[in-house]
Amino acid sequence: MTLENADDLERLKEIGRICANALQIMGAALEPGMTTAELDLIGRKALEAEGAQSAPELSYRFPGATCISVNEEVAHGIPGARVIAAGDLVNIDVSAEKGGLFADTGASFAVPPISRATERLCRDGKRAMWVGLNEVKAGKPLAAIGNAIGAFARKNRYTLISNLASHGVGRSLHEEPTEISTWPDKHEKRRMEDGMVFTIEPFLSMGAQYAEGGDDAWTLYSEPRAPTVQYEHTVVVTRNGPLVVTLPG
């Protein structure tokens, strides 16, 4: 999607805020002893209260309102009977539609008590996302995002999942520009255009390099198995830099 008018921008900001608020509500409710299905229901109610629909349900018939991935699961975890325990690393991915526009956001939460290494991983995962966001500006190469995140990961001795990319969003959940690498990619030759809308969502890990499928059609696991976090925002490219629309408020 490329924004064409102020009305589109306001509607994108609205669905972005709705997604961000749902994510914030879910993160605050997260506690040991609850199931991922119970956590998902909290997110569903937050979206529906604002007149929004779950994007994965709407677009792909995903079996849940949100994606909730625990520990070895890195993405697209199906909400269900799994009980969240102290020390778990839980990723929540919230995407939704309202009025024909979509937004997408996510974050990882560590359930106390946690190790210093896990605390650092969460802190640096968020930093990695912002390192990428700070590269967003009309006219710059898209490759600048992955190059900056890759340099950050190397400097801090992390790996990046290199088969889960960022993506265009707006008129649909996944659209052009597709497959935006959040790792260095010498084949990326595209440039950012004013008004372009996409996600930035690096998967920062303590050793994993890929995501692989499991027993169901959705859940992806770290390979090799290692603690991994994901933080995600939807951003609009402007001549002055990034405009993040998935902020709570």
Side-chain angles (χ1 to χ4, degrees):
M1 177 181 181
T2 300
L3 289 175
E4 297 177 351
N5 54 61
D7 180 63
D8 280 351
L9 176 58
E10 289 308 309
R11 292 192 297 130
L12 185 65
K13 286 180 177 179
E14 180 186 14
I15 188 58
R17 174 187 56 79
I18 291 169
C19 290
N21 286 344
L23 177 63
Q24 187 177 64
I25 290 167
M26 293 174 73
L30 181 61
E31 63 180 7
M34 74 189 313
T35 66
T36 55
E38 290 170 334
L39 183 61
D40 180 63
L41 182 59
I42 292 169
R44 179 184 298 280
K45 289 179 176 178
L47 293 175
E48 291 179 349
E50 295 284 352
Q53 299 184 77
S54 160
E57 275 189 339
L58 179 65
S59 302
Y60 301 114
R61 297 184 180 179
F62 178 76
T66 66
C67 300
I68 302 174
S69 308
V70 183
N71 294 338
E72 72 281 358
E73 302 166 350
V74 293
H76 307 159
I78 301 172
R82 183 167 184 164
V83 177
I84 295 167
D88 279 349
L89 191 56
V90 182
N91 179 265
I92 303 172
D93 194 323
V94 179
S95 55
E97 177 273 343
K98 184 177 181 180
L101 293 186
F102 292 73
D104 193 357
T105 189
S108 295
F109 301 85
V111 184
I114 59 172
S115 67
R116 288 186 178 180
T118 300
E119 183 178 14
R120 177 176 173 268
L121 176 64
C122 290
R123 180 200 69 195
D124 288 345
K126 193 175 297 184
R127 289 173 64 194
M129 175 189 65
W130 280 103
V131 163
L133 282 164
N134 287 334
E135 294 298 320
V136 172
K137 190 173 184 180
K140 291 188 69 172
L142 270 170
I145 296 169
N147 289 340
I149 295 172
F152 175 86
R154 287 193 304 274
K155 179 180 177 181
N156 292 282
R157 299 183 179 181
Y158 293 109
T159 56
L160 290 161
I161 301 290
S162 60
N163 63 336
L164 288 176
S166 299
H167 56 89
V169 65
R171 302 290 182 194
S172 60
L173 180 55
H174 296 97
E175 59 182 42
E176 294 290 339
T178 58
E179 299 294 318
I180 302 171
S181 301
T182 53
W183 58 89
D185 180 2
K186 64 182 180 180
H187 301 293
E188 178 59 82
K189 304 299 182 185
R190 295 171 294 179
R191 289 189 173 271
M192 294 177 247
E193 299 175 7
D194 189 40
M196 189 179 280
V197 184
F198 53 79
T199 68
I200 291 186
E201 48 179 313
F203 288 78
L204 194 73
S205 182
M206 295 169 65
Q209 297 182 353
Y210 302 100
E212 64 175 10
D215 295 332
D216 61 64
W218 298 100
T219 310
L220 297 174
Y221 298 84
S222 58
E223 176 56 40
R225 299 291 189 263
T228 304
V229 295
Q230 176 246 27
Y231 292 85
E232 175 183 13
H233 272 313
T234 295
V235 62
V236 180
V237 178
T238 81
R239 294 183 179 90
N240 297 318
L243 174 59
V244 176
V245 298
T246 42
L247 296 174

